[in-house]
Amino acid sequence: MTQIKYMILASRQGKVRLVKWYTPYTPKEKTKISKELPPLILSRKPKMCNIVEYSDHKVVYRRYASLYFICGITPEADNELLTLEIIHRYVETMDTYFGNVCELDIIFNFGKAYAILDEMLMCDGAITESSKRDVLSHIHSMDTMEGSDQLERITS
Amino acid sequence: MIMDSVSSPEQPKNKILVTFGDGDSIHQRELISQLFGIDIGIGDRIVKGLVWKTKYYRVEFDLYIDDYNDFSSWFQEFASEEFAALREAMAGLVVVDQYEPTKPLNPLGLQDTFVVWVNTDSKVGQDQVDEINDKLFQTEESTVELVNLHSNEDTNEYGEKIGIPRFKEIVDTCSWKNCDMDYLTSTSSTTNPEVSLELIVQRMQHARLKHANSEMDNDEALQIAQEIAEELTGKED
């Protein structure tokens, strides 16, 4: 069982590219976390531990090329290693969908990046789907429906 | 130092200023070619209407070229009120010189502007570059990054781009605020890039018309629909 509090995707230059909140936070708290966390994680050396204590909870992060995937977790409910696996599965899924995903893919297809995440995690931060194949199949179905809608608009 | 015309708050940030520690214009020309993949004339200081292209967009930008003898005094001049208009219109600042830790790399609180120091000293290894970058990232809201010009590899052990590919990645992902961007049609993994949508729509309209006029039975209609679906997904028999 996992209950992620939030997921932040930051670039190597500290720019937040994607953020998803699974716990109700006030706008002030959200600003504080998004402002404080990326520099804190970015300043950590590559061989340092991927689990950090931050505020009243823990933060699990993983770096992929120029992107940092940062998850806030509830220490009592979450498993840190499972969170790392979720991040990895998310990246793998995006990698398959975009074909070697890069920062630019996420900037210009952030809707898809959110859609993939929504297929994997529920609104309370619990895992809803762990199968990469199923997630991709849902996303492809969504793409087909989107494409059909556009075609209908053209032909009607 | 070069100067720009007066800017307004809505002015596009489409100017990249490249400043060299080496005044040799032939060397500058070579480095510009390496970094931006363009050829400029010897002695060119402002090159307008250049195009930066990625798989998602193309944008026009102007390249401003400058050099200095003493970086500190150049930087002081650049940070002065006189050059505020230029700073506001800048997408990025690129310093091409040997990196020295004593040289200031204060980004002046530049918003939506990348600052890259391209290190020309071949003795500085990637490990040192990473270490310097780690320190730079600790500075809150710092957008300054050091990249090595003489990098043998394109990526490091973590799959991160290094050297010139990293420089290009920084430019690719910069915000190009207020710029007129031509968005190129993206092709997701599900679509077949060879397909002409216009042609397919024409065929569908034709088929629909035939079906409506009862010139086509359901089997034939199904076959056409199947063919179009296969064409769209790129599936071949």
Side-chain angles (χ1 to χ4, degrees):
Chain A
M1 185 66 190
T2 183
Q3 216 131 46
I4 290 174
K5 283 170 172 279
Y6 53 83
M7 185 184 271
I8 298 172
L9 208 162
S11 75
R12 210 162 126 191
Q13 292 206 318
K15 286 182 184 152
V16 174
R17 296 299 187 199
L18 185 147
V19 62
K20 186 95 187 172
W21 304 96
Y22 297 103
T23 305
Y25 279 109
T26 63
K28 208 176 161 185
E29 285 170 322
K30 285 181 183 175
T31 314
K32 189 174 176 277
I33 293 171
S34 345
K35 216 174 169 185
E36 278 181 2
L37 259 185
L40 179 85
I41 301 298
L42 260 66
S43 63
R44 292 176 65 79
K45 293 199 185 309
K47 282 175 186 164
M48 280 183 166
C49 182
N50 289 55
I51 302 149
V52 194
E53 287 201 6
Y54 170 75
S55 187
D56 61 342
H57 58 277
K58 280 185 184 173
V59 168
V60 177
Y61 71 93
R62 200 155 172 169
R63 147 191 206 176
Y64 289 90
S66 62
L67 293 168
Y68 287 76
F69 293 76
I70 308 161
C71 282
I73 58 165
T74 319
E76 302 80 36
D78 275 320
N79 182 310
E80 293 88 344
L81 299 179
L82 181 61
T83 311
L84 279 173
E85 278 306 306
I86 292 169
I87 295 174
H88 187 64
R89 183 45 60 102
Y90 179 44
V91 175
E92 271 189 333
T93 313
M94 283 205 289
D95 220 33
T96 312
Y97 182 77
F98 292 110
N100 199 8
V101 65
C102 65
E103 195 181 339
L104 211 57
D105 290 322
I106 291 169
I107 295 171
F108 284 92
N109 297 289
F110 63 89
K112 287 281 169 256
Y114 276 115
I116 294 171
L117 190 60
D118 289 344
E119 286 297 318
M120 295 175 71
L121 294 176
M122 276 197 284
C123 56
D124 66 343
I127 303 176
T128 178
E129 182 58 73
S130 60
S131 160
K132 192 171 88 179
R133 218 179 88 183
D134 285 1
V135 169
L136 283 172
S137 148
H138 297 157
I139 298 295
H140 285 149
S141 305
M142 279 157 66
D143 284 344
T144 313
M145 279 192 265
E146 212 176 289
S148 308
D149 281 354
Q150 278 166 0
L151 271 176
E152 239 166 64
R153 267 207 301 273
I154 296 167
T155 50
S156 62
Chain B
M1 186 185 272
I2 43 179
M3 256 196 87
D4 192 29
S5 54
V6 181
S7 73
S8 67
E10 292 302 311
Q11 190 170 348
K13 284 171 101 60
N14 65 345
K15 291 163 185 30
I16 298 180
L17 171 61
V18 188
T19 185
F20 292 89
D22 181 356
D24 178 6
S25 41
I26 296 172
H27 189 222
Q28 288 179 5
R29 194 170 166 243
E30 280 170 18
L31 290 172
I32 290 284
S33 168
Q34 258 184 291
L35 293 170
F36 295 93
I38 51 160
D39 289 323
I40 57 158
I42 294 173
D44 279 354
R45 291 327 232 176
I46 297 175
V47 190
K48 294 201 171 197
L50 296 169
V51 174
W52 188 264
K53 195 180 171 190
T54 71
K55 65 173 169 175
Y56 290 107
Y57 69 85
R58 64 193 291 283
V59 67
E60 275 195 18
F61 72 100
D62 302 337
L63 197 64
Y64 285 50
I65 301 153
D66 202 6
D67 52 53
Y68 57 82
N69 290 321
D70 173 45
F71 180 75
S72 301
S73 54
W74 179 90
F75 192 77
Q76 216 174 347
E77 199 186 341
F78 172 71
S80 69
E81 195 53 42
E82 197 184 345
F83 293 97
L86 173 65
R87 290 198 303 271
E88 270 175 37
M90 267 170 50
L93 166 65
V94 186
V95 184
V96 187
D97 197 2
Q98 292 191 352
Y99 179 71
E100 284 172 33
T102 48
K103 287 179 178 173
L105 263 172
N106 182 342
L108 303 161
L110 291 170
Q111 292 290 312
D112 302 302
T113 306
F114 67 83
V115 184
V116 181
W117 189 297
V118 180
N119 170 52
T120 53
D121 185 359
S122 53
K123 285 176 211 150
V124 177
Q126 191 57 40
D127 289 346
Q128 273 173 283
V129 168
D130 290 342
E131 214 165 285
I132 295 160
N133 278 332
D134 285 344
K135 279 183 198 155
L136 290 170
F137 290 143
Q138 282 173 20
T139 323
E140 206 180 324
E141 293 187 11
S142 166
T143 51
V144 185
E145 194 169 327
L146 182 69
V147 298
N148 233 351
L149 185 70
H150 304 285
S151 187
N152 298 326
E153 308 278 330
D154 282 352
T155 52
N156 64 8
E157 58 180 313
Y158 305 101
E160 292 176 340
K161 286 183 180 166
I162 53 172
I164 291 172
R166 174 61 191 155
F167 171 78
K168 288 182 177 164
E169 192 177 50
I170 293 170
V171 184
D172 281 352
T173 54
C174 95
S175 61
W176 298 109
K177 204 175 172 190
N178 301 331
C179 292
D180 244 347
M181 289 166 82
D182 272 345
Y183 294 103
L184 308 172
T185 318
S186 66
T187 51
S188 86
S189 55
T190 52
T191 54
N192 180 4
E194 304 281 313
V195 169
S196 157
L197 193 64
E198 205 181 334
L199 204 73
I200 284 174
V201 171
Q202 272 178 15
R203 277 178 60 194
M204 284 170 78
Q205 278 174 332
H206 184 67
R208 195 177 170 187
L209 218 66
K210 272 180 86 177
H211 192 254
N213 294 340
S214 306
E215 288 174 27
M216 189 194 292
D217 60 21
N218 279 346
D219 285 345
E220 206 181 336
L222 207 68
Q223 199 189 334
I224 288 174
Q226 186 71 23
E227 274 172 21
I228 291 173
E230 278 175 10
E231 211 170 314
L232 277 169
T233 52
K235 196 176 146 188
E236 284 172 15
D237 288 334

